[in-house]
């Protein structure tokens, strides 16, 4: 579990072999356009993964699931 899904934290957990990382603190991309999605986040995670389930892959091909809370 991480407070905010910063890439450095996701890389560390994924490299260590965690199969799932639970994160919060993007607030679902508080600035969103209907049918488009989030414009910004408050971390360095890309806007396509601002909330919900996705995967995170490191440079050395380790992979884990990532769930970001929309709250």
């Amino acid at each position: 579990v991480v407070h905010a899904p910063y890439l450095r934290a996701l890389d560390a957990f994924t490299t260590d072999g965690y199969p799932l990382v639970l994160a919060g603190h993007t607030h679902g991309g508080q600035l969103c356009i209907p049918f488009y999605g989030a414009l910004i986040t408050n971390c360095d995670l890309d806007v396509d993964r601002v909330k919900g389930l996705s995967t995170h892959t490191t440079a050395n091909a380790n992979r884990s699931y990532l769930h970001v809370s929309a709250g």
Side-chain angles (χ1 to χ4, degrees):
V1 175
V2 295
H3 178 73
Y6 287 102
L7 294 177
R8 67 181 182 273
L10 299 178
D11 286 344
F13 284 118
T14 302
T15 298
D16 286 347
Y18 287 70
L20 173 66
V21 179
L22 301 174
H25 206 268
T26 67
H27 300 283
Q30 287 183 332
L31 185 56
C32 295
I33 295 177
F35 307 107
Y36 178 80
L39 297 177
I40 59 171
T41 68
N42 63 347
C43 64
D44 57 356
L45 190 66
D46 55 278
V47 294
D48 292 334
R49 300 188 294 161
V50 73
K51 60 184 173 183
L53 185 64
S54 63
T55 58
H56 182 73
T57 306
T58 62
N60 59 356
N62 293 38
R63 184 177 144 195
S64 63
Y65 287 98
L66 168 66
H67 186 271
V68 180
S69 170

